[in-house]
Amino acid sequence: MTTSVHLVDTLTLPTAGAGPYALTVGPDANLWCTLVHHGGLARLTPSTGRVEEFALDSADCGPTLITTGPDGALWFTRYRDHRIGRITVDGEARSHPLPGAAGGPYGIAAGPDGGLWFTCTNTDRVGRIGVDGEVREFPLPCEGGFPSFLTAGTDGALWFTLNQANAIGRITVSGQIRIHPLPTPGAHPVGLAASPDGSLWFAEIGAGRIGRLTTGPVRPDITEFELPDPDSRPHAVAVAPDGTCWFTDWATGRIGSVTPEGRITEHPLADSAAEPHGLAFGPDGTLYVAEERGVVSRWNVADTTA
């Protein structure tokens, strides 16, 4: 497969230093972005390029990852003030406190059971919050594992990266947990996304690799792909409809792709110090990249194979 990549446009946030961090497509077919430094969210309209910001009730709440919930609203983690946030497409926001304190909620995804599932990085727990605000948490069988990104798999379970435990975890909606160690020491997995074929792609920020997990008859099969620069610090991943995994290189200001067969390409952003984090495909098929230094760039990525 040959891939053509070119920059479509760059969307500047109204508030300087807002810190665009993570992206998702909302139920309104717009892109929604967390603003980790500003304590707000942004909505990007693909058809017009319009950017709107919505301030939250705390400028220091640290909104991080975001997903669309089963109720037609956007749900997101508030890493710094230990809450789960919710915002409607009309901009009405509220939040729900989590049990205990300083749990560091980070990853979030809608589960197959109608709830929102999330990770607590500091307390080694995976939690579930219903659209009614009821919270339930499940302790993980490891200490200091730092559960990070979380995604719903095609197998009806939730999967998550364990950054400090060097593993990928799986939890069923009933709370059964299984941990799968990675083959490379110090891989420190972060970003995680499900592919249409049922596999899971993840970024190994510590080893400079992109991993792929497929479920085998006994245990998952894990394949790792070495990136050209082992110090590029890959952070987040997004899977294209054709199964290609796209990723951000946080340390080198690049985006890249890897096919299931292992073909890797990388492309520089306009600013090598852009600190790209989240990325997501828009409804128009273009790739949006949140660059923490202040912009969201939009890229046309196309398979040009004849």
Side-chain angles (χ1 to χ4, degrees), residues 71-76 84-88 92-96 131:
D71 58 348
L74 288 302
W75 291 73
F76 54 96
I84 301 296
R86 177 186 184 272
I87 189 168
T88 68
E92 297 182 9
R94 69 169 188 260
S95 64
H96 301 276
V131 295

Side-chain angles (χ1 to χ4, degrees), residues 40-67:
L41 301 173
R43 178 170 59 195
L44 319 173
T45 303
S47 60
T48 64
R50 182 184 181 191
V51 182
E52 305 164 85
E53 287 186 8
F54 301 90
L56 301 175
D57 57 2
S58 168
D60 298 321
C61 64
T64 45
L65 299 190
I66 184 169
T67 191

Side-chain angles (χ1 to χ4, degrees), residues 17-32:
Y21 190 83
L23 290 155
T24 194
V25 178
D28 55 355
N30 293 318
L31 274 293
W32 288 76

Side-chain angles (χ1 to χ4, degrees), residues 38-272:
H38 177 56
L41 301 173
R43 178 170 59 195
L44 319 173
T45 303
S47 60
T48 64
R50 182 184 181 191
V51 182
E52 305 164 85
E53 287 186 8
F54 301 90
L56 301 175
D57 57 2
S58 168
D60 298 321
C61 64
T64 45
L65 299 190
I66 184 169
T67 191
T68 294
D71 58 348
L74 288 302
W75 291 73
F76 54 96
T77 49
R78 294 171 46 144
Y79 183 81
R80 296 195 190 109
D81 68 354
H82 193 53
R83 302 175 78 92
I84 301 296
R86 177 186 184 272
I87 189 168
T88 68
V89 294
D90 296 324
E92 297 182 9
R94 69 169 188 260
S95 64
H96 301 276
L98 297 178
Y106 186 76
I108 190 168
D113 59 345
L116 285 302
W117 289 73
F118 59 91
T119 57
C120 281
T121 57
N122 299 330
T123 54
D124 293 313
R125 291 173 180 266
V126 168
R128 179 193 185 276
I129 183 170
V131 295
D132 59 357
E134 182 181 355
V135 177
R136 185 180 179 193
E137 292 186 339
F138 303 89
L140 301 177
C142 60
E143 184 176 351
F146 207 82
S148 302
F149 280 71
L150 179 146
T151 193
T154 59
D155 59 349
L158 289 304
W159 294 77
F160 52 95
T161 49
L162 284 161
N163 178 262
Q164 294 300 303
N166 214 55
I168 304 293
R170 178 183 185 271
I171 183 170
T172 67
V173 295
S174 62
Q176 295 178 312
I177 298 168
R178 185 170 296 176
I179 304 298
H180 304 286
L182 296 180
T184 300
H188 300 313
V190 279
L192 179 70
S195 177
D197 66 1
S199 64
L200 295 163
W201 289 89
F202 55 94
E204 298 183 357
I205 196 170
R209 302 180 182 199
I210 299 297
R212 182 170 182 255
L213 180 151
T214 57
T215 303
V218 178
R219 63 178 62 87
D221 180 36
I222 296 172
T223 305
E224 296 170 308
F225 303 97
E226 296 184 22
L227 301 180
D229 183 352
D231 297 319
S232 60
R233 307 286 286 176
H235 180 265
V237 295
V239 184
D242 65 0
T244 299
C245 175
W246 286 82
F247 57 89
T248 51
D249 280 337
W250 172 76
T252 58
R254 303 172 74 89
I255 57 173
S257 66
V258 55
T259 67
E261 297 75 31
R263 182 176 181 273
I264 296 171
T265 60
E266 291 187 311
H267 313 276
L269 301 175
D271 180 3
S272 61

